[in-house]
Amino acid sequence: MPELRQNFMTKEWVVIATERAKRPDEMVVRRPEKAVASYSPKCPFCPGHEDQTPPEILRLPDGNGWKVRVVPNKYAALSPEAKPERTIRRSRRSMTGFGVHDVVVETPDHAQAMALMPDAHVADILRVYKTRYNQLSLDPRIEQVTVFKNYGADAGTSLEHPHSQLIATPVISHQVRERLQAALRHHDEFGDCIFCQMIEEELHEQVRIVLASEYFVAVELYASPSPFFTHIYPRRHMASFGDISAQEITDLGRVLRTMLAKLYYGLENPDFNFTIRTAPAECIGVRYFHWYMSVIPRLTRTAGFELGSGMFINSVIPEDAAEFLRNVKVETASVDPRTTVV
Ligand SMILES: [Zn+2]
Ligand SMILES: [Zn+2]
């Protein structure tokens, strides 16, 4: 029978459509093989083209070159020059477009997918996120910092060179505020962190766990709105991503890379987004919120029912997705399976 499941925090309902359930491997979106070279003469993020980006904010050096760079987005959604000012005219509320929009150039190699990078390099990228997250969170004009990656056209990018982004905004989004308030209400009522409780339940039940390390747990969402919607939680209670320790970052590099490699091999290099959901600066250290990463393969499209009802239909059973991903074997050391390197 089909089943409706409710998200433990957002209270949103999802239809798990068992009647038209698909095997996890039926979700593969096959794209024509494309040979990508390690260097592109036209790419502004490739080594030797550093003058084609706005002035660099940060770099992890590598000899005379670099491993990771952070630059302002040339086509930024918001401007750091604007002064944050609100205007309220009856029902119309607006604000000047203040904000910071960084691009993290993840590697000098134009062709390297994060799923195939060495674990230590993924940890380097996470270290850069943390540095910028903490720097931006200190700015009193900034309320929320969102770290995210768009990989592939269905995830919203056409740019090939491996990159991710940070956007800092002068307001906290309604969606983030709702989650914070729901978690706070739970804490007031039951005296614990709703995430810590849920992680404990997931570890006990096992069926939705994809992998668990010393510091992190990757789990398929119980009320998963789309196939393979994965959360990676720190096992230690921590409200803000900015509080992650050095050891935890090293471990997360391995867990995230392994998770992405499972998707890469299991679902044939799907487009995906990932994002870090964290308590905003004003909530650093709170006991009721717990940060996590969402990894969302983009295998289906949002259609009319979702837009009209706010409810999602998912035709892959989360427990099947977890089992499928657990069974995708990934080398511990990164191996590059690209056969065509131009
Ligand atoms: Zn490039
Ligand atoms: Zn917690």
Side-chain angles (χ1 to χ4, degrees):
M1 285 295 279
E3 190 184 6
L4 284 146
R5 292 186 179 182
Q6 190 178 34
N7 183 290
F8 70 101
M9 187 184 39
T10 64
K11 309 298 179 220
E12 272 156 13
W13 288 95
V14 167
V15 179
I16 306 292
T18 48
E19 301 300 297
R20 53 192 221 190
K22 290 190 171 161
R23 287 196 324 270
D25 58 341
E26 286 180 89
M27 297 309 296
V28 170
V29 180
R30 290 203 169 77
R31 293 185 184 79
E33 279 286 321
K34 209 167 88 181
V36 181
S38 286
Y39 168 81
S40 161
K42 288 194 197 122
C43 172
F45 296 153
C46 273
H49 306 171
E50 286 80 1
D51 59 348
Q52 292 179 27
T53 63
E56 189 171 292
I57 298 167
L58 187 82
R59 82 156 54 183
L60 284 189
D62 187 15
N64 290 331
W66 48 273
K67 281 197 270 189
V68 183
R69 288 177 84 216
V70 181
V71 296
N73 191 318
K74 208 171 177 176
Y75 309 99
L78 293 162
S79 163
E81 312 300 331
K83 194 164 159 260
E85 267 171 358
R86 278 178 197 252
T87 316
I88 299 171
R89 265 187 229 102
R90 304 193 66 204
S91 69
R92 312 224 188 273
R93 292 159 205 181
S94 67
M95 220 175 153
T96 46
F98 166 79
V100 179
H101 191 163
D102 287 358
V103 176
V104 178
V105 185
E106 295 164 359
T107 161
D109 185 343
H110 187 85
Q112 192 170 38
M114 195 185 270
L116 310 176
M117 287 177 188
D119 297 344
H121 193 93
V122 177
D124 281 338
I125 296 165
L126 293 166
R127 250 171 235 120
V128 166
Y129 294 165
K130 178 186 173 179
T131 304
R132 279 305 279 161
Y133 179 84
N134 284 338
Q135 283 172 351
L136 291 166
S137 294
L138 285 174
D139 187 324
R141 298 169 301 171
I142 286 165
E143 298 260 343
Q144 185 179 323
V145 181
T146 306
V147 180
F148 61 98
K149 177 174 172 72
N150 304 334
Y151 177 83
D154 285 344
T157 187
S158 49
L159 206 73
E160 258 172 5
H161 198 111
H163 69 288
S164 32
Q165 303 177 63
L166 275 92
I167 296 186
T169 53
V171 290
I172 294 178
S173 74
H174 182 66
Q175 199 199 56
V176 166
R177 185 66 87 192
E178 287 258 288
R179 283 165 162 74
L180 288 165
Q181 284 171 347
L184 176 59
R185 279 195 299 274
H186 176 94
H187 188 270
D188 283 349
E189 201 169 337
F190 301 101
D192 60 5
C193 162
I194 192 171
F195 297 91
C196 284
Q197 183 198 327
M198 189 272 304
I199 295 161
E200 195 188 305
E201 284 167 11
E202 290 294 352
L203 283 168
H204 178 71
E205 286 181 37
Q206 291 285 317
V207 285
R208 281 170 298 274
I209 303 280
V210 179
L211 62 113
S213 69
E214 192 177 354
Y215 299 108
F216 289 89
V217 180
V219 55
E220 294 303 291
L221 230 61
Y222 168 76
S224 176
S226 60
F228 302 98
F229 200 113
T230 308
H231 279 180
I232 302 175
Y233 294 100
R235 294 171 85 140
R236 167 170 82 90
H237 179 81
M238 215 185 331
S240 168
F241 169 68
D243 289 336
I244 188 171
S245 71
Q247 276 168 321
E248 285 165 334
I249 282 207
T250 303
D251 190 46
L252 182 58
R254 189 169 64 81
V255 169
L256 176 61
R257 211 280 305 171
T258 307
M259 190 63 225
L260 294 178
K262 281 175 176 283
L263 296 173
Y264 186 97
Y265 293 114
L267 298 171
E268 302 192 19
N269 191 16
D271 291 353
F272 68 86
N273 298 104
F274 73 58
T275 165
I276 298 176
R277 291 263 190 191
T278 167
E282 65 177 45
C283 302
I284 282 170
V286 296
R287 294 183 181 177
Y288 58 86
F289 197 78
H290 195 120
W291 75 266
Y292 56 95
M293 284 190 86
S294 293
V295 181
I296 308 153
R298 303 304 296 265
L299 307 165
T300 53
R301 289 190 186 277
T302 305
F305 177 70
E306 281 85 358
L307 292 172
S309 69
M311 281 184 262
F312 282 78
I313 299 177
N314 181 357
S315 51
V316 177
I317 298 164
E319 293 73 20
D320 293 351
E323 188 186 12
F324 175 81
L325 291 176
R326 277 197 300 273
N327 289 332
V328 178
K329 297 287 170 246
V330 171
E331 304 286 329
T332 25
S334 306
V335 176
D336 188 343
R338 276 175 289 147
T339 43
T340 1
V341 178
V342 184

